[in-house]
Amino acid sequence: EAFKMNINKCFKEFLDYMEAEKNASHHTLKNYRGDFKIFLSFMSSNNMETDIDKIEVTDIRKYIVFLKKEKNYANETIRRKINSLKSFFNFLVSQDYLVQNPMRGITAPKKEKRIPKYFTEKQVKLILDTAKKSDDDFALRNYILIKLIAVTGIRRQEAVDLDFKDVDFGKNTIKIKGKGNKERIVPISKEFSEELWTYFQSRLPLKNQAMFITSTGNRIHSSRAHTIFVDILKKVGLNNKGLSLHSLRHSYATMLIQNGVDIAAVQELLGHEDINTTTVYAHTTTEHLKEQVAKLPY
């Protein structure tokens, strides 16, 4: 009998490889696991072969139809599920477990270029003002957290992961640990650097290096950061607009581009691996330019 590879065992090996050699984050691995589970349950509920060398292109196509019709997933979700399956099969081929890759003829649905939602300059100022004036016990922490994302465009998780030692108060820069353990340096204004310093002083003596901590002294969780922001949004009446803390990152990128910063620099500041991810912000300049052109006196 031909050599049979157990698909679950292979998948476990794939996850180990992604974690050890590709530095995949906990979040990415969790997504891979979830995506794989859906694929397996689809295969077994349709009595399809799950030996890795028995899976065919037609099975994958049926699976895509299932994701669309039965699961009603959005294009973006289907894209991710197909791409994570692709990574798995590419791994199997690279390890010589498979000769033919059933995913080879499969193209994931195209990514829809959606314009990300972002705050206007006025709204950002209003949010920061409200956070600053709050009478919450943690008002300073919350204000600094929100302003940090507004003035650096870092991701929510990156903000939560920050330590005070990542800030260079002399040079007014912050070292960010991004996706896949990639580091980047983002500049901050002298004004914000001073606000950060005041916040730092308020935390002395430091029992915990984490920049943002809870009342019990532990690093705050990313979901807590979300709640803090939603509370502020409620106060300013912007909580029903589908805007989130991540929208501040979009606002940052949009404002940079509207003010003439070139796209490659914005890509570097945001820590985007692919410049195509950054080009989505270029649309805003077109809108902005239309407004400017409309001001022509003739």
Side-chain angles (χ1 to χ4, degrees):
E1 176 159 359
F3 166 63
K4 266 183 151 182
M5 272 305 280
N6 177 306
I7 195 165
N8 285 299
K9 204 171 153 220
C10 287
F11 189 70
K12 167 87 180 70
E13 211 178 298
F14 165 66
L15 288 182
D16 291 344
Y17 162 79
M18 289 306 292
E19 189 170 15
E21 296 182 41
K22 292 289 184 199
N23 269 334
S25 69
H26 169 71
H27 178 67
T28 303
L29 295 171
K30 197 173 132 199
N31 281 342
Y32 278 144
R33 272 189 215 103
D35 294 348
F36 182 67
K37 216 165 135 189
I38 293 174
F39 175 65
L40 264 199
S41 80
F42 163 78
M43 294 298 277
S44 54
S45 64
N46 287 285
N47 299 320
M48 289 159 139
E49 283 279 3
T50 54
D51 287 345
I52 55 167
D53 51 355
K54 297 267 173 60
I55 296 170
E56 294 177 6
V57 180
T58 49
D59 301 335
I60 310 283
R61 292 223 164 94
K62 282 176 189 154
Y63 175 57
I64 298 178
V65 171
F66 159 78
L67 293 176
K68 268 192 171 145
K69 300 261 164 69
E70 309 274 319
K71 289 280 197 184
N72 285 325
Y73 282 137
N75 250 2
E76 200 40 46
T77 311
I78 296 175
R79 241 178 90 78
R80 199 198 72 206
K81 294 198 178 337
I82 294 308
N83 285 334
S84 69
L85 210 52
K86 252 190 175 151
S87 301
F88 174 49
F89 279 103
N90 288 343
F91 166 77
L92 294 176
V93 174
S94 74
Q95 301 301 307
D96 291 330
Y97 290 152
L98 264 190
V99 183
Q100 282 292 339
N101 188 341
M103 297 294 293
R104 231 185 59 204
I106 300 283
T107 42
K110 277 215 167 23
K111 193 171 186 164
E112 294 163 37
K113 277 258 178 174
R114 268 207 317 271
I115 294 177
K117 291 189 167 182
Y118 61 93
F119 297 99
T120 63
E121 201 172 325
K122 220 163 143 185
Q123 288 171 333
V124 175
K125 283 181 176 151
L126 184 61
I127 289 165
L128 292 174
D129 261 4
T130 310
K132 199 172 188 175
K133 291 181 182 136
S134 163
D135 50 9
D136 187 298
D137 287 348
F138 282 94
L140 183 59
R141 177 201 68 184
N142 298 348
Y143 165 70
I144 292 292
L145 170 67
I146 294 169
K147 182 151 185 185
L148 173 76
I149 294 178
V151 301
T152 60
I154 63 177
R155 300 173 178 96
R156 181 172 77 184
Q157 191 59 52
E158 292 171 344
V160 168
D161 288 342
L162 275 185
D163 289 335
F164 278 114
K165 64 175 191 306
D166 298 325
V167 183
D168 187 328
F169 288 105
K171 290 185 178 150
N172 299 333
T173 57
I174 303 180
K175 186 168 73 190
I176 313 291
K177 293 179 286 289
K179 285 185 171 177
N181 292 339
K182 283 198 180 70
E183 286 189 349
R184 66 184 191 280
I185 304 280
V186 297
I188 51 173
S189 69
K190 188 152 174 21
E191 177 213 10
F192 183 58
S193 188
E194 282 162 9
E195 288 184 305
L196 255 182
W197 180 254
T198 309
Y199 170 60
F200 172 59
Q201 299 293 319
S202 77
R203 280 277 309 279
L204 298 175
L206 272 197
K207 291 185 186 68
N208 189 334
Q209 262 288 339
M211 193 177 281
F212 304 108
I213 56 169
T214 61
S215 51
T216 53
N218 300 313
R219 187 184 296 276
I220 70 168
H221 201 268
S222 162
S223 56
R224 179 77 192 103
H226 170 71
T227 328
I228 289 167
F229 191 64
V230 170
D231 289 344
I232 299 283
L233 282 188
K234 278 183 189 149
K235 283 185 184 163
V236 289
L238 286 170
N239 56 317
N240 54 356
K241 300 262 194 293
L243 292 153
S244 66
L245 205 41
H246 201 69
S247 311
L248 279 178
R249 178 169 158 86
H250 297 321
S251 306
Y252 169 80
T254 303
M255 282 175 207
L256 287 178
I257 285 188
Q258 287 186 351
N259 287 297
V261 178
D262 76 275
I263 206 148
V266 176
Q267 176 193 7
E268 202 175 318
L269 288 165
L270 291 175
H272 280 160
E273 210 158 287
D274 183 355
I275 196 149
N276 288 323
T277 318
T278 323
T279 53
V280 68
Y281 296 108
H283 72 274
T284 57
T285 36
T286 336
E287 287 309 308
H288 184 62
L289 291 172
K290 278 182 193 163
E291 284 167 32
Q292 301 309 311
V293 171
K295 293 176 185 167
L296 279 171
Y298 44 80

